[in-house]
């Protein structure tokens, strides 16, 4: 089977590529990524020379480029990770989020419709459900929870989900969608909460926490997200949405305090809250557990230790990102030779 992974030079996409190549050596993977600020080809270095892997630099919103790739590569399955993914950046520049997350998804869906595929899987987020109150811990998002978005990021992801379902109904494109909670683990760009706090603590910088740090997120170790998507694309039902979550709810403050404790260093600085900041996310993932037998295998206490260890052992990876040096890698390796 040939799997086309978009956004595979980013955090979750790269972890998914490693997971698939290890679990299904009989399959091959084509990674399509525009290498925006969030894409880092160095992350994929270990698989670049594998005969089962191929990298193509392209924009998912570029119809001509995408159709050419579908025509020449003839992929069986598409897993769409490519997106602008940072809520704060969506507040600064909503238009870019609509171009990549909505138009990009539409271009991919049209390519699927025209060239034919076995499955288009849209990697979505629990943020499409909006937020839950802090004082009703029994409330969880199910697949039936209405879409109720808060940020330009979540609105663009919800739009992409609706388009995906529309292409299923109108054009009979075989689709599936996963809506996952917050991921953490190796290769996460150091602008997101956990790697930012680790990097700042190690660089003796303050650890900025929004508001009072009361916002609650449900954390899932990235490999558990990868195993869920792997199950859905192979055994999930066409046209279905699957929630994916870890039942690891923590306030942002608790997460940051755990990092400080593990590292033995770091000073918190409370900063002005994010506009429209969602209070609490919590996922009911009983559908994927019952229907596909998925279970997360890494508890938060173990996963956060593995993640901190990874950032300690791979300082060069994130330091090159912080210095901007990583963006020259593609030119050095592939253009100026
Ligand atoms: N990080 C999380 O906690 C989380 C949780 C649930 C869902 N998601 C979703 O998972 C997906 C991946 O998230 P991530 O955290 O790995 O993001 P990321 O920002 O680390 O990676 C995004 C990747 O997409 C690429 N990209 C961006 N625009 C592109 C374009 N126009 N064409 C081709 N490639 C492009 C980037 O270069 C980058 O490699 C996203 O769709 C996101 O919405 C993320």
């Amino acid at each position: 089977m040939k799997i086309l992974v978009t956004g595979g030079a980013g955090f979750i996409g790269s972890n998914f590529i490693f997971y698939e190549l290890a679990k299904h050596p009989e399959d091959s993977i084509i990674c399509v990524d525009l290498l925006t600020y969030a894409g880092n080809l160095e992350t994929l270095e270990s698989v670049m020379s594998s005969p089962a892997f191929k990298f193509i630099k392209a924009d998912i919103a570029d119809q001509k480029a995408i159709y050419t790739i579908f025509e020449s590569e003839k992929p069986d399955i598409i897993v769409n990770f490519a997106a602008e993914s940072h809520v704060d950046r969506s507040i600064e520049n909503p238009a870019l989020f609509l171009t990549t997350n909505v138009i990009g998804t539409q271009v991919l869906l049209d390519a699927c419709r025209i060239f034919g595929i076995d499955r288009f899987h849209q990697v979505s987020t629990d943020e499409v459900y909006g937020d839950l109150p802090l004082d009703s811990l029994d409330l969880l998002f199910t697949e039936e929870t209405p879409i109720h978005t808060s940020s330009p990021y979540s609105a663009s992801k919800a739009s992409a989900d609706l388009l995906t379902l529309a292409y299923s109904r109108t054009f009979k494109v075989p689709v599936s969608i996963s809506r996952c909670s917050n991921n953490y683990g190796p290769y996460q760009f150091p602008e997101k909460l956990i790697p930012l706090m680790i990097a700042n603590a190690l660089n003796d910088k303050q650890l900025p926490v929004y508001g009072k740090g009361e916002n609650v997120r449900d954390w899932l170790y990235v490999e558990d997200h990868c195993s869920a998507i792997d199950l859905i694309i192979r055994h999930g039902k066409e046209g279905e949405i699957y929630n994916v979550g870890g039942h690891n709810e923590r306030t942002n403050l608790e997460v940051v305090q755990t990092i400080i404790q593990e590292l033995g260093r770091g000073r918190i600085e409370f900063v002005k809250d994010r506009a429209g900041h969602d209070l609490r996310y919590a996922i009911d993932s009983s559908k994927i557990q019952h229907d596909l037998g998925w279970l997360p295998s890494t508890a938060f206490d173990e996963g956060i230790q593995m993640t901190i260890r990874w950032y300690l052992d791979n300082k060069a990876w994130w330091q090159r990102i912080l210095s901007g040096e990583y963006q020259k890698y593609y030119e050095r390796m592939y253009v100026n030779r």
Side-chain angles (χ1 to χ4, degrees):
M1 205 157 62
K2 212 182 221 189
I3 307 175
L4 192 155
V5 174
T6 70
F11 165 46
I12 310 173
S14 59
N15 277 284
F16 180 74
I17 289 170
F18 302 145
Y19 183 89
E20 287 298 300
L21 288 175
K23 180 134 200 255
H24 304 283
E26 69 284 6
D27 292 344
S28 62
I29 296 210
I30 305 149
C31 170
V32 171
D33 197 299
L34 183 59
L35 298 180
T36 68
Y37 81 94
N40 184 355
L41 208 51
E42 281 185 69
T43 302
L44 295 172
E45 210 167 1
S46 63
V47 295
M48 268 330 228
S49 56
S50 160
F53 179 79
K54 182 171 180 180
F55 178 83
I56 302 174
K57 185 175 183 215
D59 183 346
I60 57 162
D62 178 345
Q63 180 181 292
K64 193 161 168 261
I66 294 301
Y67 284 14
T68 305
I69 293 168
F70 271 67
E71 202 166 21
S72 58
E73 299 294 340
K74 301 183 179 39
D76 302 300
I77 292 183
I78 318 303
V79 185
N80 183 26
F81 290 96
E84 287 293 333
S85 70
H86 193 39
V87 174
D88 288 344
R89 287 178 188 258
S90 81
I91 296 168
E92 297 293 312
N93 182 4
L96 178 59
F97 281 66
L98 297 194
T99 307
T100 297
N101 300 1
V102 185
I103 304 297
T105 304
Q106 172 248 312
V107 167
L108 291 170
L109 283 163
D110 273 335
C112 292
R113 181 165 70 89
I114 292 165
F115 295 97
I117 41 92
D118 293 337
R119 177 65 62 90
F120 173 84
H121 183 76
Q122 175 66 6
V123 182
S124 187
T125 162
D126 62 354
E127 298 196 29
V128 301
Y129 298 122
D131 62 354
L132 296 164
L134 288 176
D135 56 4
S136 309
L137 294 183
D138 53 323
L139 288 182
L140 303 171
F141 297 132
T142 73
E143 289 82 358
E144 309 306 321
T145 302
I147 282 181
H148 188 83
T149 57
S150 311
S151 68
Y153 164 67
S154 56
S156 68
K157 293 296 291 184
S159 307
D161 285 11
L162 293 176
L163 263 180
T164 303
L165 295 173
Y167 272 63
S168 161
R169 165 110 184 214
T170 304
F171 301 115
K172 308 283 177 271
V173 174
V175 306
S176 48
I177 296 175
S178 50
R179 291 180 176 154
C180 189
S181 57
N182 277 40
N183 285 211
Y184 67 103
Y187 298 110
Q188 188 167 28
F189 196 86
E191 67 180 351
K192 302 282 170 65
L193 183 77
I194 289 178
L196 176 71
M197 297 301 155
I198 298 172
N200 276 15
L202 294 175
N203 283 338
D204 289 324
K205 287 167 100 179
Q206 306 263 44
L207 313 191
V209 172
Y210 281 135
K212 295 181 189 152
E214 286 171 330
N215 307 61
V216 172
R217 300 292 179 261
D218 173 14
W219 293 95
L220 185 71
Y221 192 63
V222 63
E223 204 175 271
D224 285 326
H225 188 186
C226 298
S227 71
I229 295 172
D230 178 62
L231 274 176
I232 296 169
I233 59 175
R234 288 163 201 277
H235 307 291
K237 261 174 69 182
E238 248 179 71
E240 291 289 314
I241 298 169
Y242 295 92
N243 280 354
V244 183
H247 286 300
N248 278 309
E249 286 184 46
R250 298 281 190 286
T251 66
N252 287 347
L253 190 57
E254 283 169 340
V255 170
V256 177
Q257 283 168 338
T258 304
I259 293 169
I260 293 174
Q261 207 174 10
E262 292 290 332
L263 286 173
R265 61 201 288 185
R267 271 170 299 120
I268 291 176
E269 177 193 23
F270 291 101
V271 298
K272 188 168 173 272
D273 209 352
R274 168 191 280 167
H277 204 175
D278 281 338
L279 291 175
R280 173 174 169 255
Y281 304 138
I283 278 264
D284 176 352
S285 46
S286 46
K287 177 176 169 179
I288 188 169
Q289 295 185 12
H290 290 142
D291 292 4
L292 304 180
W294 176 82
L295 271 180
S297 61
T298 304
F300 186 76
D301 292 342
E302 184 195 349
I304 193 74
Q305 282 182 13
M306 283 163 21
T307 304
I308 291 172
R309 172 53 43 210
W310 188 87
Y311 279 87
L312 283 170
D313 291 345
N314 292 276
K315 275 189 187 157
W317 181 87
W318 55 266
Q319 276 168 348
R320 274 200 293 277
I321 288 179
L322 293 181
S323 72
E325 187 56 31
Y326 77 108
Q327 287 185 309
K328 299 183 188 128
Y329 182 85
Y330 181 81
E331 274 70 28
R332 218 170 47 239
M333 296 301 287
Y334 300 100
V335 182
N336 305 326
R337 302 161 68 99

